Amino acid sequence: MNTEDIKHELLEHCKNYVNERLQRVQNLVSDIQQSLTSETKSTAGDKHETGRAMLQLEREKAGAQLAEVQKLQEILAKITIAPSKNIRLGSLVATSQGNYFLSISAGAITVKNTSYFAIAANTPIGKLLLGKTAGETICFRDKSIKVNVIN
């Protein structure tokens, strides 16, 4: 499997990760909406109002989660698979400490028995890696990490 195929598979995994998150948030919003519409006014008016207020807070939280998912989708849409000499969004980076795919924070992904960490460019290590070239070294958590290969 060549580097481009690995990048496509990693990108696809990231997209699936975001789509699963989107589905969970949409289900949550739907459940909250259903709870709000089925909530009936009881004789204990204060209890009813408290329940509605709590549901409204949950709805706001779900809205924030939905906005976050949309940001992740925008980041994934900007990723290009083309090779580059400098580390940028979409780069596959082999270092002395592990393999990284600069995209979104989606955790460890295994492709063809090799582990890759999908990391966002705004993470501490992502910020250090951005713009670096093969052969350069970064210092992360008092460890020296050498950039071996960039694809």
Side-chain angles (χ1 to χ4, degrees), residues 25-84:
V25 173
Q26 286 174 334
N27 289 343
L28 179 63
V29 169
S30 176
D31 290 347
I32 291 168
Q33 191 60 40
Q34 190 175 15
S35 294
L36 276 170
T37 55
S38 68
E39 182 98 3
T40 58
K41 186 104 174 163
S42 66
T43 53
D46 287 344
K47 190 187 268 186
H48 169 77
E49 292 305 318
T50 301
R52 287 190 67 78
M54 295 298 287
L55 286 170
Q56 195 62 36
L57 286 173
E58 288 299 316
R59 183 198 230 162
E60 288 173 19
K61 280 192 227 174
Q65 291 175 7
L66 189 59
E68 179 64 29
V69 168
Q70 288 169 336
K71 283 182 194 173
L72 293 176
Q73 287 174 325
E74 289 171 13
I75 291 169
L76 290 175
K78 292 177 184 176
I79 291 178
T80 57
I81 300 298
S84 171

Side-chain angles (χ1 to χ4, degrees), residues 128 139-143:
L128 291 172
C139 187
F140 181 68
R141 293 187 181 162
D142 297 326
K143 288 184 184 176

Side-chain angles (χ1 to χ4, degrees), residues 63-64 85 97 135:
K85 291 186 187 284
Q97 296 293 312

Side-chain angles (χ1 to χ4, degrees), residues 88-142:
R88 60 174 172 70
L89 197 61
S91 290
L92 190 60
V93 185
T95 71
S96 57
Q97 296 293 312
N99 302 310
Y100 299 96
F101 179 57
L102 232 62
S103 56
I104 61 168
S105 294
I109 305 166
T110 302
V111 177
K112 295 292 181 190
N113 298 324
T114 303
S115 246
Y116 300 90
F117 293 96
I119 61 170
N122 64 353
T123 61
I125 195 161
K127 288 177 185 176
L128 291 172
L129 287 171
L130 276 177
K132 297 294 186 268
T133 58
E136 288 191 69
T137 303
I138 62 169
C139 187
F140 181 68
R141 293 187 181 162
D142 297 326

